[in-house]
Each structure stands twice: as structure tokens, then as C-alpha cells.
Amino acid sequence: MEDIAARRAAKLLLAEHQANARFKRLGAPDGPASISDAYDIQERYVALLRGKHGEAVGYKVGLTSAAMQTFCGIDHPIAGVVLASRLYRSGATVRRTDFGRLGLEFEIAVRIKSDVPVTARPCTTETIAPHIDGVCAAIELVDDRSADYSNLDVLSLVADNSWNGGIVLSEFATKWPDLESVLGRATKDRVAIGEGFGRDILGHPFNSVAWLATQLHSRGVSLKAGQVVMTGSVMKTVFPDSDASYRFELEKIGLVEVQVR
């Protein structure tokens, strides 16, 4: 995509967020015509956000279920960038008014131990595993800006940093059980609202990290030591409409909480 068009689209996205405008398709002449265009715009948009939100501390992976990929008309996951000021620790309070529409996704996050070398070969679970030294329970804060899901343009979603608005993390565990079978349970004010297994994330959360590493390599970027990767949700997104306390617990790993006000 021509750089000037990507920059115009990124500035439009920033203006829409500042105006709290509803999410809509990025149309001609600067909207994305391909997934590559969408990441070109995302890159410029994230660059605009860095002045306020700091440098990249990690990534999110979305659309990690076959059902969601089919719904969005795409056959692979998508990625977004997590910025420094948008990383919260368990117990944090977030306000719905800071988002167009706040959604919560209940996930497994990992911490990168060592830089992942750029390679032309796709990464796999086996090749990515030695680069991971921590696993934790996590909640992603997504901002869909009240999108119309009956007419959703996934390319515009990707351009909009794949809707990442922040992440909330528990403490990282340096030893963990089999992640395929690990169960995660979410509650709202101590009442169960959903659950899922690690295998619900592309069969294994590390598959998600491997996909991300391969995607980044295609754009000349690599995962770096210390970065966090949100691997994807184990259950459907929850959209808070009132004050509440949310908790997500991963068996034998840890728990994370966030207060929504």
C-alpha cells in the first residue's frame, strides 16, 4: 500500500477514536484492499498512538477459533500491538467511558524469554516453545466501538489495531501444566459466566504464538525477549454494561481480576 494512503487512513482512525465515533469500514480511496494493506495502516496507526501510550510491549492474537474466522470471512488469525500504558496488573480498574464499547476476552498470555530469529520458514509449536518462559491468566480489553457485526469488515478491524485497548495480567508462572487441557473459568461478581480450555486456542496456545511469529517475520519484525503475547480467548467476548468485578482463573497457573466501573 502506498505510504501516503496508509498514513491518511491511520490519521482517520485516530480522529474517529478521539471523537468516540462508531466503528465503520475504511472506505475508498485509502481503505485496505488486502490484509497486507490492513497491516500497513495498523503500523502507521500504532505509530501515532506511541506518543501517548509508549512503546510496544507485546501483541494480541485474535480470531483463533474456526467459528470466528468463518464469521469474519477469513481463514487465519489476526494480530494487534499492545502498548506500554495499556498493560495493567491484576486488580486494575478500567472505566467503560474510556472505550467506544468495552469488551473483555479471557485468555492465556505468554512471556517471551529470548528473541525469536527471523526466518523464512513458518514457526511451529516446537520451535517457539524454547522462547517462552512464562504463562499467565489474562484479560484483553477490546474496543469494538459498537461495530455492526452483520456488516463487519475484518480488514478495517485489523487496521484498527485489531481492536486492542489493553491487557490485564496475573503474575507469570514459570512452570505450567499441559496447556491443551488446562481449564479457564471466568466469573462476574463471583458468578460463573463461561469457561474454556487451552485447546480452544488453535489447538494449543503455543500454536497462536507460532502463527504470530510467522506473521511478524513476513513483515520483517520479530518477537523480542520480555514481550507478552495474548494468545486468544477461550470463550466468547463479554461486554460489561454496569459496574462489576471480573475474574479469570487458569487451573494450576493463576488468576487475574479487573474492576469495571
Side-chain angles (χ1 to χ4, degrees):
M1 186 176 193
E2 290 188 5
D3 185 65
I4 190 169
R7 291 182 185 277
R8 282 197 300 258
K11 288 179 180 178
L12 176 60
L13 280 171
L14 185 64
E16 288 181 347
H17 277 270
Q18 291 172 338
N20 199 25
R22 187 176 186 182
F23 176 84
K24 65 179 185 295
R25 177 190 296 266
L26 288 168
D30 300 325
S34 67
I35 193 69
S36 178
D37 289 351
Y39 282 112
D40 287 344
I41 295 170
Q42 181 191 113
E43 183 178 313
R44 276 62 169 192
Y45 174 54
V46 169
L48 294 176
L49 294 176
R50 285 195 175 108
K52 179 179 180 181
H53 294 290
E55 293 302 309
V57 294
Y59 298 87
K60 62 84 55 91
V61 181
L63 304 188
T64 53
S65 72
M68 284 304 298
Q69 289 177 18
T70 299
F71 175 73
C72 291
I74 199 168
D75 62 359
H76 54 76
I78 61 174
V81 180
V82 179
L83 298 174
S85 76
R86 291 176 167 177
L87 189 156
Y88 303 91
R89 298 299 176 184
S90 181
T93 297
V94 299
R95 302 191 180 279
R96 299 192 309 280
T97 53
D98 291 337
F99 301 81
R101 184 172 74 150
L102 172 65
L104 304 179
E105 297 192 345
F106 302 89
E107 310 200 11
I108 296 173
V110 306
R111 182 178 61 203
I112 302 301
K113 173 185 179 181
S114 53
D115 293 358
V116 179
V118 174
T119 172
R121 299 175 61 184
C123 291
T124 65
T125 298
E126 290 72 25
T127 59
I128 206 70
H131 296 283
I132 295 171
D133 71 352
V135 173
C136 77
I139 297 173
E140 183 183 4
L141 311 174
V142 298
D143 187 356
D144 75 351
R145 291 193 285 140
S146 299
D148 177 3
Y149 285 83
S150 69
N151 187 34
L152 185 63
D153 175 39
V154 71
L155 297 183
S156 297
L157 188 166
V158 171
D160 196 8
N161 199 26
S162 295
W163 288 349
N164 179 258
I167 61 176
V168 187
L169 305 178
S170 73
E171 294 297 321
F172 280 96
T174 55
K175 296 182 180 180
W176 51 86
D178 172 26
L179 293 182
E180 286 187 16
S181 59
V182 72
L183 176 64
R185 296 188 178 93
T187 61
K188 173 186 177 182
D189 293 333
R190 306 282 179 167
V191 177
I193 57 173
E195 64 182 38
F197 293 91
R199 59 178 173 267
D200 296 322
I201 306 169
L202 295 180
H204 191 291
F206 287 5
N207 288 333
S208 179
V209 187
W211 174 86
L212 175 66
T214 301
Q215 164 61 24
L216 293 176
H217 292 174
S218 75
R219 299 186 61 83
V221 182
S222 64
L223 287 169
K224 301 296 185 183
Q227 290 184 326
V228 175
V229 177
M230 299 287 286
T231 63
S233 185
V234 302
M235 54 177 274
K236 67 180 182 180
T237 307
V238 171
F239 294 96
D241 59 6
S242 60
D243 294 359
S245 176
Y246 291 86
R247 172 184 286 196
F248 180 56
E249 183 170 1
L250 286 175
E251 287 185 338
K252 300 180 181 179
I253 292 177
L255 65 87
V256 60
E257 293 181 297
V258 64
Q259 316 300 319
V260 176
R261 297 292 181 258

